[in-house]
Amino acid sequence: MNDQEIKDAIGKAEFPIKLQCLFEPKRYKVLYGGRGGAKSWGIARALLIIAAQRPTRVLCAREFMTSMKDSVHQLLCDQIKALKLESYYYVTETEIIGNYNNTRIAFAGLQSLKTDPTKLKSYEGVDVCWIEEAVNVTKSNFDLLDPTIRKAGAKIIMTLNPSLETDFVYEYFIKNEPPPDSLVVPVSYRDNPWFPPSLKSIMLHKKQTQPDDYLHIWEGKCRLTLEGAVYAEEIRQAVAERRITRVPYEPTRPADTFWDL
């Protein structure tokens, strides 16, 4: 495949408008939301396009990875075919290599890097680190990885479907003011022009029958309670009616708190 053929293949690639942000020069890019927004699909496609144009070292990470089946390896392979870049990439069981430049796409679990400092050090030259299912990433592992991705212009891309407001990545990047050079983008099924009818019917049924699950799964809202909580419905209603709020504290008067553990 020559340069013109690569340019033609890339020129035909389509992205939802919201995912155009993947080509912006930001250190941190956090794409979060519910199912059907094509977040992972779009990032896989963007990385392959970037790596087709210049030598790129990519690390595809997640908190836990016991085998390659847990990684985005297959998703990247599917997008290589969709972009018609089969002759450009050489795919092995453990990595993806650019045939015409020094592009290398590797895969790792953050927990394993934590126990192998030598392997972690080998990723200092990474250009792009993509953390899939970043909702599971712990603060200690992120603090270990973040300074490792130190090459000038290097980027860390995170995708997540939020779970609880206390999860580290959600709290650090979304709930609170994110660190400098961050781009935080909510993405839902509404932003996906290719959202399939089969998923739409599932989504609508969930919306009509299980509104709490709909908000979490499809709108990307954090769960208000842990699954199975006795007062889940009561808490949801209290939030909807704005009965959970801050009240003034009077230090001269005693205050009682009540806890159900």
Side-chain angles (χ1 to χ4, degrees):
M1 176 174 283
N2 58 42
D3 290 343
Q4 187 56 51
E5 289 174 324
I6 293 172
K7 290 179 181 178
D8 290 343
I10 292 171
K12 295 177 182 178
E14 295 180 295
F15 285 88
I17 293 175
K18 275 223 176 161
L19 298 190
Q20 298 291 337
C21 66
L22 294 171
F23 299 95
E24 295 185 21
K26 293 288 187 179
R27 162 74 175 178
Y28 306 104
K29 298 175 186 177
V30 181
L31 276 64
Y32 73 99
R35 298 291 300 274
K39 298 186 296 295
S40 299
W41 173 91
I43 289 175
R45 179 165 285 206
L47 291 179
L48 292 170
I49 287 174
I50 291 169
Q53 298 176 85
R54 59 181 180 272
T56 307
R57 287 189 62 188
V58 179
L59 172 63
C60 298
R62 58 193 297 144
E63 183 71 4
F64 305 103
M65 195 183 88
T66 57
S67 72
M68 290 300 291
K69 290 182 179 180
D70 298 327
S71 74
V72 292
H73 183 277
Q74 185 59 54
L75 175 60
L76 286 164
C77 290
D78 292 342
Q79 287 304 312
I80 288 173
K81 293 179 180 178
L83 292 169
K84 301 188 185 305
L85 293 175
E86 294 98 323
S87 64
Y88 187 82
Y89 286 104
Y90 174 63
V91 178
T92 74
E93 292 184 357
T94 58
E95 62 181 351
I96 297 173
I97 303 167
N99 283 327
Y100 304 105
N101 60 21
N102 292 321
T103 283
R104 301 188 82 88
I105 303 176
F107 306 84
L110 296 183
Q111 285 288 358
S112 65
L113 295 180
K114 188 175 183 179
T115 58
D116 189 351
T118 303
K119 191 172 183 181
L120 182 66
K121 190 174 180 64
S122 69
Y123 292 119
E124 291 179 0
V126 162
D127 297 289
V128 183
C129 176
W130 172 18
I131 306 177
E132 172 73 332
E133 295 188 5
V135 67
N136 297 318
V137 173
T138 62
K139 181 181 185 301
S140 61
N141 282 346
F142 183 81
D143 287 345
L144 191 67
L145 176 72
D146 192 15
T148 300
I149 309 303
R150 64 183 66 175
K151 186 176 179 180
K155 300 171 180 60
I156 298 178
I157 302 173
M158 287 164 274
T159 49
L160 67 148
N161 292 7
S163 181
L164 298 174
E165 287 191 352
T166 52
D167 291 331
F168 167 69
V169 171
Y170 185 89
E171 189 171 47
Y172 189 56
F173 284 96
I174 302 169
K175 183 179 179 181
N176 299 325
E177 183 70 24
D181 207 18
S182 296
L183 186 64
V184 181
V185 182
V187 181
S188 78
Y189 63 88
R190 297 182 185 85
D191 302 308
N192 181 3
W194 305 286
F195 187 61
S198 57
L199 281 184
K200 185 176 181 179
S201 63
I202 295 172
M203 178 270 295
L204 291 174
H205 178 72
K206 184 70 71 174
K207 184 176 183 178
Q208 294 167 358
T209 60
Q210 297 174 300
D212 286 344
D213 286 346
Y214 162 78
L215 289 174
H216 174 62
I217 296 170
W218 295 100
E219 295 288 359
K221 305 297 183 183
C222 289
R223 289 191 181 278
L224 299 177
T225 60
L226 292 175
E227 190 171 349
V230 175
Y231 297 110
E233 175 59 28
E234 288 82 355
I235 291 176
R236 184 199 65 77
Q237 185 174 348
V239 171
E241 296 173 357
R242 297 185 179 181
R243 290 188 283 114
I244 296 180
T245 184
R246 293 181 179 273
V247 295
Y249 169 59
E250 174 53 61
T252 63
R253 301 177 66 87
D256 296 323
T257 61
F258 300 86
W259 303 81
D260 178 4
L261 301 180

